[in-house]
């Protein structure tokens, strides 16, 4: 059994909150704000976890030795059981329960008394022309109902409402382990998914936005907002561009990141993508653009709308004049000006399962036209049946599918042994 490092936040019967850190490989257990429990917990946890000794409690034995339960479920059960016995927690665990996620830790992490809120707040609507909240995008996790203190550890699936531990979710390519829905994936993880290790070479990574039209806002200024997103995401803008190898095949790739102002397209996003296309044109490289955007960024006015024509013009030269190969990958959400321009200009257009793809969002259409948009009519599966794009490809086989497409269009690995 692989050993792991864990950090839990728990609350005792007096309402005090403690942080518990467990490093089973080095036999370390630390409790912040409650040092009196440390010696007792270290002794009990180390002996039980490393020696596998049985407890007198049938509930503990069941989760310790029943192989159908995963390592993370065992940890949840052990912590819940032990803290219940030692700290008099008001636990919901019962020996007859078959779902340990519905116990005390689940109920505390997923606090149903919390107001239903989305990571994409109402004020974020002004950042894209789609005017659509994450909560209206099928297949996207917005952590509804999760205590905000635990969003760094857990992601709640919007479709099945089950909790996914972030460390395991990342290893599963952000696919819900309970229902298989494809949740959002940030640009850095997508680079790791698509690009061979050690071959990624970023482009224009220090290009940052300014405030070209001096956008007026009653809240924080546009530049302050850009700064806050840069600190939050570690990115300079809503797209990462660069070159690398995919199964040994040199490619140019741009990956949009919805975490940065809803993936909205401003002047810098447009310029970075245009430069990427021009570089791929000059180097005769195949091109991939992974789309995840709410549309054009209204804080830059018509300058953001101009990026649609600029990118499309560069793509025309790349595809029609140079006869090169462009693959567009539509992820959730792809809306607004991105859909209306380079998102739909691929020689091959690939969509992810469960992706929300539209020009205008459901709510905007209904408010503007006073008509009801049928449920699911903006999902990848529905649009595929209408012939809007080519295949729907899950994340697991995506790299292999792209490699085959490139070889069919006469792009081959630098080293034939790399396949």
């Amino acid at each position: 059994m692989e050993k792991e490092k864990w950090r839990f936040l728990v609350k005792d019967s007096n309402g005090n909150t403690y942080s518990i850190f467990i490093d089973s490989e080095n036999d370390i257990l630390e409790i912040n704000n409650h040092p009196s429990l440390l010696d007792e917990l270290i002794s009990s946890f180390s002996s039980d976890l490393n020696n596998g000794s049985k407890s007198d409690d049938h509930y503990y034995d069941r989760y310790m030795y029943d192989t159908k339960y995963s390592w993370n479920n065992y940890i949840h059960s052990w912590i819940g059981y032990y803290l219940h016995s030692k700290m008099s927690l008001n636990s919901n665990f019962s020996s007859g329960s078959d779902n340990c996620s519905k116990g005390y830790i689940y109920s505390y992490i997923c606090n149903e008394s919390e107001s239903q809120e989305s990571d994409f707040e109402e004020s974020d609507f002004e950042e894209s022309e789609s005017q659509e909240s994450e909560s209206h995008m099928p297949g996207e996790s917005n952590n509804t109902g999760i205590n905000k203190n635990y969003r760094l550890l857990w992601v709640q699936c919007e479709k099945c409402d089950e909790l996914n531990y972030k460390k395991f979710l990342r290893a599963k390519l952000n696919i819900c382990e309970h229902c298989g829905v494809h949740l959002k994936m940030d640009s850095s993880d997508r680079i790791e998914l698509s690009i061979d290790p050690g071959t990624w070479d970023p482009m224009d990574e220090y290009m940052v936005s300014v405030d070209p039209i001096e956008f007026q806002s009653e809240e924080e200024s546009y530049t302050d907002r850009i700064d806050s997103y840069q600190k939050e995401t570690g990115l300079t803008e809503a797209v990462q561009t660069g070159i690398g190898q995919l199964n040994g095949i040199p490619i140019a790739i741009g990956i949009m990141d919805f975490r940065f102002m809803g993936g909205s397209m401003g002047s810098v996003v447009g310029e970075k993508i245009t430069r990427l296309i021009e570089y791929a044109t000059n180097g005769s490289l195949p091109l991939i653009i992974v789309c995840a955007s709410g549309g054009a960024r209204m804080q830059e006015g018509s300058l953001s709308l101009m990026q649609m024509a600029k990118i499309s013009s560069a793509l025309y030269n790349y595809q029609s004049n140079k006869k090169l190969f462009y693959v567009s990958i539509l992820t959730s959400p792809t809306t607004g000006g991105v859909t209306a321009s380079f998102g739909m200009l691929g020689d091959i257009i690939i969509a992810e399962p469960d992706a929300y793809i539209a020009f205008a969002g459901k709510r905007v259409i209904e408010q503007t036209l006073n008509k009801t948009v049928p449920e699911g009519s903006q999902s990848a599966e529905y649009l595929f049946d209408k012939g809007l794009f080519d295949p729907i490809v899950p994340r697991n086989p995506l790299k292999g599918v792209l490699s085959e497409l490139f070889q069919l269009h006469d792009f081959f690995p630098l080293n034939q042994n790399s396949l």
Side-chain angles (χ1 to χ4, degrees), residues 102 106 110 144 156-163 178-179:
K102 301 303 182 185
Y106 179 92
C110 187
T144 301
Q156 185 177 16
C157 177
E158 187 180 67
K159 183 175 182 180
C160 67
D161 292 330
E162 292 291 343
L163 294 178
H178 305 282
C179 68

Side-chain angles (χ1 to χ4, degrees), residues 57 75 126 129 165 175 192 206 258 268 325 333 392 404:
D57 188 275
I75 287 290
E126 65 186 27
E129 64 190 7
Y165 182 50
I175 300 174
E192 185 177 328
Y206 299 111
F258 193 75
V268 169
F325 183 56
I392 296 178
E404 290 184 15

Side-chain angles (χ1 to χ4, degrees), residues 130-231:
S130 68
Q131 301 285 296
E132 193 68 17
S133 166
E134 278 185 84
S135 61
H136 293 85
M137 296 174 182
E140 294 298 316
S141 170
N142 62 3
N143 296 345
T144 301
I146 295 183
N147 187 321
K148 63 182 179 180
N149 295 328
Y150 302 101
R151 288 181 181 167
L152 294 177
L153 293 175
W154 304 92
V155 174
Q156 185 177 16
C157 177
E158 187 180 67
K159 183 175 182 180
C160 67
D161 292 330
E162 292 291 343
L163 294 178
N164 293 270
Y165 182 50
K166 273 197 172 182
K167 184 172 183 179
F168 294 142
L169 185 64
R170 186 172 182 269
K172 295 178 181 294
L173 307 180
N174 283 38
I175 300 174
C176 176
E177 63 178 314
H178 305 282
C179 68
V181 163
H182 286 54
L183 304 177
K184 288 190 298 296
M185 193 175 194
D186 65 48
S187 56
S188 297
D189 287 344
R190 288 192 182 276
I191 291 171
E192 185 177 328
L193 168 65
S194 305
I195 302 300
D196 299 342
T199 66
W200 173 246
D201 185 13
M203 297 172 57
D204 303 313
E205 57 183 331
Y206 299 111
M207 189 180 294
V208 297
S209 295
V210 293
D211 190 359
I213 65 172
E214 298 182 357
F215 184 81
Q216 300 297 320
S217 174
E218 296 180 357
E219 302 174 356
E220 59 183 342
S221 68
Y222 178 45
T223 53
D224 288 342
R225 194 157 205 173
I226 289 289
D227 290 340
S228 65
Y229 276 102
Q230 288 174 343
K231 293 175 182 177

Side-chain angles (χ1 to χ4, degrees), residues 15-35:
N16 300 315
T17 302
Y18 311 114
S19 172
I20 299 179
F21 174 74
I22 300 170
D23 182 349
S24 61
E25 182 175 0
N26 299 309
D27 294 332
I28 296 174
L29 193 149
E30 298 175 353
I31 302 180
N32 296 334
N33 303 327
H34 205 304

Side-chain angles (χ1 to χ4, degrees), residues 362-404:
K362 181 177 185 290
R363 188 189 59 177
V364 174
I365 295 173
E366 291 179 340
Q367 290 179 350
T368 303
L369 302 180
N370 198 26
K371 292 184 178 180
T372 300
V373 177
E375 194 67 32
S377 62
Q378 295 175 314
S379 67
E381 289 72 16
Y382 178 87
L383 297 174
F384 174 76
D385 290 337
K386 300 300 180 181
L388 191 65
F389 40 78
D390 300 300
I392 296 178
V393 182
R395 286 175 191 157
N396 290 307
L398 180 60
K399 188 173 183 179
V401 169
L402 291 171
S403 180
E404 290 184 15

Side-chain angles (χ1 to χ4, degrees), residues 35-36 52 64 87-88 111 117 150 157 175 205 242 244 264 281 299-300 307 311 318 341 361:
S36 62
M64 178 67 181
M87 299 173 67
S88 300
N111 186 351
E117 61 178 349
Y150 302 101
C157 177
I175 300 174
E205 57 183 331
S264 51
T281 302
Q299 287 90 341
E300 298 186 23
Q307 308 310 312
I311 296 171
Y318 175 87
S341 57

